[in-house]
Amino acid sequence: MIAIQGLLWSGDYGNIDRPINAKWSENVSRVLPIATVTAALGEWASGTGPLYRRLADGLEAAVDHGRIPIGAGLPPERHLATALSVSRSTVVAAFDALKRAGRLEARQGSGTWVRGHARPPDEGNLELVEELEGHAILRDLSGRPTQTVEFTAAAVDCAPEVTTAIVGLSGDEVSMWSRGHGYSPQGYEGLRDVIAQRLTGMGLETNTAQVLITSGATQAVLLTARLYLEPGAPAVLETPSYAGAIDVLHAEGARLLSVDMDSSGARTDQLAELMTRSLPRMVYLVPDFHNPSGVVLSQRRREEVARLAADYHVPVVEDIVQRELWLDEPPPPPIATFDPDAPVLTVGSMSKVFWGGLRLGWIRGSETTIARLARLKAVDDFGTPAIAQLVSAKLLPQIDTTAAWRRTELRRRFEVLEDAVARHLPEWTCPRPAGGLSAWAKLPSPCADELVRRAESHGVAVVPGSTFAVDHNRHTDRLRLPFVAPPHVIEEGIRRLARAWAEIDGRDTVMPPQSVVV
């Protein structure tokens, strides 16, 4: 370290006349030579994750360990990119990430400079917050102009049965559930019993003690991540994968690994290789009408996943929240049915059939695991709201009827989407999903991110495929197109999307807008 420090400070600097203090310091008056920076970075490109993130981490580590001094100027982006054999956009993205984190600052006319501590402690993890604020789906949940057509959240409107169940709550029912202090981390026994019966009917033998009630499926994933992961621990997902799970695992500090998908679902040959090579601490899969691709994991692969979980003692979280939403035929039994002793946790929710506003989900696992998760749940929120549990206990026995109605609506709306894409965007491919709430549209070129930006100005909001990629550098030729809106809104949204596409595609035809209230 002494030799390296000597090298760093041996040449190309002016006088150092101010000490480092608690505020941002400028102790070096010149830009560091390229050779000094590349030597300080060392093996920065090793590891996993986006290349820009690895470069940002390498620069941050070099500063933290004194190999790049606070107050030093960094070489121009294009020069550093050439020296590191990467694109300039990779360096720009790395610098931007470190600027958001407070580790670098741009000075007008004089380049990029190293700052001291990232930020005062009371500001918190601004980098994570800003990254999540930029997330397309989260941004859209915060609201847009009312005239914007939304192809963002794959979420259904409230089923009529929900209103009926809420209005029909009797005084006796509320009185029975409201006895005592109201805190129940594992959830009320009556609801857990209904869920256990439902899972048993799927072939997954379940008792009440094996069920934990959560505040939505996302909390279920969060709790399992907290149980099994620590910062830097490897976790496996499909790519593409549910963006909410990516965000949760990323926020918990997991090192994300991915397996590809094909028409039969997640590639279990790749999963087996990762089990051997990396021994992940957790696997997250969406076997039933995968979000966003709509693919179903085949029964043979479900059996293989259960075997791998048992052989390697790696917990697998199977997200079956869209299980009832098939367009053609129901999916195979849950993964957990193929080996009752394998560490497989099954996650369900009320959101996709009934309504997301109930904020109610569940986890099914071994009694020991559920007891541990219940303790984490108690720390998180002491229990899911009692009224949501009471309403859900009344609704779940009706799920088959409500799901059948929901499937009929979704088939009709997908046909509208499919027809609109064929007429207005004939260059695109819009495969029919096996089920779920969205189509995984394929563009002729990898320009989805640019299309999303242009679509904003045409009054339509869409989510690019990169949002569902673990490394955000894949699926750039894809869009997720939910078919949950009323048919006339879907039609108008595709027309607007076609106008945005025409700007990228260079076509001369411009279709006139139609008025619609959404």
Side-chain angles (χ1 to χ4, degrees):
M1 178 62 74
I2 293 174
I4 294 175
Q5 292 278 14
L7 172 65
L8 289 174
W9 290 95
S10 65
D12 211 2
Y13 307 99
N15 293 329
I16 302 172
D17 54 7
R18 283 174 291 181
I20 296 175
N21 57 38
K23 299 181 73 66
W24 315 128
S25 302
E26 298 173 10
N27 295 332
V28 180
S29 61
R30 298 185 185 179
V31 173
L32 293 175
I34 287 282
T36 299
V37 176
T38 55
L41 283 169
E43 300 296 325
W44 67 271
S46 61
T48 60
L51 198 60
Y52 86 90
R53 186 68 260 175
R54 281 180 268 167
L55 177 55
D57 291 344
L59 285 165
E60 191 166 29
V63 174
D64 289 341
H65 290 86
R67 298 192 295 272
I68 292 178
I70 293 170
L74 296 179
E77 294 154 350
R78 65 181 183 278
H79 295 166
L80 186 57
T82 299
L84 297 175
S85 299
V86 299
S87 68
R88 182 174 178 270
S89 62
T90 296
V91 178
V92 170
F95 279 16
D96 285 346
L98 292 176
K99 289 171 187 174
R100 290 195 303 270
R103 303 308 303 267
L104 298 179
E105 64 176 327
R107 299 180 188 169
Q108 187 66 35
S110 62
T112 302
W113 296 77
V114 178
R115 301 177 77 175
H117 296 291
R119 62 180 67 86
D122 62 353
E123 291 187 8
N125 190 346
L126 294 182
E127 181 180 5
L128 175 60
V129 171
E130 290 173 1
E131 183 175 339
L132 293 177
E133 283 177 349
H135 192 292
I137 296 174
L138 293 179
R139 186 176 64 245
D140 296 326
L141 291 176
S142 300
R144 287 177 180 274
T146 57
Q147 294 300 315
T148 299
V149 176
E150 299 284 355
F151 284 124
T152 49
V156 296
D157 291 337
C158 185
E161 291 85 348
V162 176
T163 303
T164 302
I166 294 172
V167 172
L169 286 177
S170 69
D172 289 342
E173 289 173 318
V174 175
S175 176
M176 178 185 68
W177 281 57
S178 62
R179 293 170 187 161
H181 50 61
Y183 298 120
S184 179
Q186 189 165 344
Y188 286 105
E189 185 174 349
L191 176 57
R192 290 188 287 123
D193 187 53
V194 171
I195 294 169
Q197 292 176 32
R198 177 77 185 171
L199 293 171
T200 299
M202 296 178 191
L204 181 55
E205 191 70 32
T206 304
N207 64 54
T208 304
Q210 290 180 275
V211 178
L212 170 71
I213 306 302
T214 62
S215 299
T218 300
Q219 188 189 49
V221 178
L222 174 63
L223 293 175
T224 56
R226 287 180 178 169
L227 179 62
Y228 293 119
L229 300 176
E230 64 275 342
V236 177
L237 309 88
E238 305 118 322
T239 188
S241 185
Y242 169 50
I246 294 174
D247 289 340
V248 165
L249 297 179
H250 172 64
E252 290 300 303
R255 178 166 59 91
L256 303 186
L257 309 174
S258 63
V259 295
D260 293 325
M261 297 185 66
D262 58 24
S263 59
S264 296
R267 292 270 305 274
T268 48
D269 59 330
Q270 294 183 4
L271 180 59
E273 182 181 351
L274 284 175
M275 291 284 201
T276 303
R277 187 177 74 238
S278 302
L279 194 60
R281 297 293 301 275
M282 173 180 163
V283 176
Y284 171 84
L285 301 174
V286 185
D288 298 338
F289 316 123
H290 176 267
N291 182 359
S293 70
V295 171
V296 173
L297 187 68
S298 69
Q299 179 163 322
R300 181 179 63 81
R301 291 191 181 176
R302 291 170 192 245
E303 295 170 358
E304 291 174 357
V305 171
R307 178 183 57 80
L308 288 169
D311 289 349
Y312 288 91
H313 304 285
V314 173
V316 172
V317 177
E318 59 167 337
D319 184 334
I320 65 168
V321 299
Q322 298 193 137
R323 181 174 179 82
E324 287 82 9
L325 301 181
W326 65 83
L327 296 186
D328 298 315
E329 59 184 35
I335 295 170
T337 62
F338 296 104
D339 188 339
D341 297 322
V344 177
L345 291 91
T346 304
V347 171
S349 169
M350 299 290 288
S351 298
K352 303 304 183 183
V353 172
F354 291 104
W355 187 41
L358 288 170
R359 302 309 312 129
L360 192 135
W362 56 84
I363 313 173
R364 184 268 184 199
S366 71
E367 292 186 24
T368 300
T369 300
I370 291 300
R372 291 170 179 165
L373 289 168
R375 288 195 286 273
L376 294 176
K377 166 79 172 169
V379 171
D380 204 39
D381 62 9
F382 288 109
T384 299
I387 296 300
Q389 295 189 62
L390 176 56
V391 172
S392 297
K394 292 172 67 70
L395 288 170
L396 270 173
Q398 309 173 54
I399 190 170
D400 290 334
T401 301
T402 305
W405 164 77
R406 190 72 79 182
R407 290 193 295 268
T408 299
E409 282 296 303
L410 290 173
R411 291 186 191 104
R412 181 168 69 96
R413 295 181 187 195
F414 173 75
E415 290 169 1
V416 172
L417 176 73
E418 184 180 42
D419 177 69
V421 170
R423 286 185 288 109
H424 300 310
L425 293 161
E427 307 95 329
W428 292 20
T429 302
C430 190
R432 179 184 176 88
L437 301 173
S438 57
W440 190 228
K442 190 175 189 304
L443 281 56
S445 58
C447 58
D449 293 275
E450 174 63 21
L451 176 61
V452 168
R453 287 189 288 271
R454 291 178 182 264
E456 290 261 7
S457 64
H458 289 274
V460 58
V462 284
V463 180
S466 58
T467 298
F468 306 93
V470 170
D471 59 9
H472 298 292
N473 292 323
R474 299 186 62 181
H475 314 305
T476 55
D477 61 345
R478 296 278 188 169
L479 289 179
R480 188 185 72 167
L481 294 178
F483 42 90
V484 294
H488 71 282
V489 177
I490 293 175
E491 171 73 26
E492 174 63 13
I494 295 301
R495 289 178 61 87
R496 296 183 186 187
L497 203 51
R499 291 197 293 273
W501 174 251
E503 296 179 359
I504 293 178
D505 195 37
R507 293 178 286 132
D508 295 325
T509 55
V510 178
M511 288 165 283
Q514 292 183 347
S515 298
V516 64
V517 177
V518 297

